[in-house]
Amino acid sequence: MALLLKKTTIASHFRSSAQKTEDSTYHSRRGFHIEPGTREKALLAEDSALKPFKSYKKSVKQLKRIGDVLTIVVVAGCCYEIYVKAATREEARKQ
């Protein structure tokens, strides 16, 4: 019975803490619905002096894509090897 009471108090504690965090995120997000001022717009504007340094984005995307493809190939190869070993073991058991 004591264990049951402990579980309910723990669950109520988590519920109350979750409600507190939901309220705090709601209040912090309300400020983003205000139209940005001139300073914020100036900070968000594209800077022409930084354009030469943004050329790496395409190569990074391409490198990520190559890495993803290689990962898929390696995982597929491992799965195939596991399948082949399992099939040969099953075949050896039948004989």
Side-chain angles (χ1 to χ4, degrees):
M1 187 71 173
L3 182 64
L4 183 62
L5 290 174
K6 285 182 184 178
K7 284 185 180 179
T8 57
T9 57
I10 291 172
S12 65
H13 171 73
F14 283 129
R15 269 188 249 121
S16 64
S17 65
Q19 288 173 352
K20 288 177 188 173
T21 57
E22 286 176 6
D23 293 339
S24 64
T25 56
Y26 175 72
H27 289 298
S28 67
R29 289 184 181 173
R30 280 180 54 187
F32 291 118
H33 296 293
I34 299 171
E35 186 68 28
T38 55
R39 183 170 184 254
E40 288 85 7
K41 286 181 180 178
L43 288 171
L44 293 172
E46 198 168 311
D47 192 2
S48 60
L50 297 176
K51 275 195 174 183
F53 301 105
K54 292 187 178 182
S55 62
Y56 70 91
K57 284 187 177 182
K58 288 181 183 176
S59 60
V60 169
K61 282 184 181 179
Q62 188 176 19
L63 188 61
K64 281 184 181 180
R65 191 172 295 144
I66 290 171
D68 291 343
V69 168
L70 285 175
T71 303
I72 291 170
V73 167
V74 168
V75 169
C78 290
C79 291
Y80 178 74
E81 285 292 322
I82 291 170
Y83 170 74
V84 167
K85 288 204 181 231
T88 54
R89 283 184 184 170
E90 187 68 30
E91 198 174 294
R93 283 186 196 163
K94 286 182 180 178
Q95 291 179 355

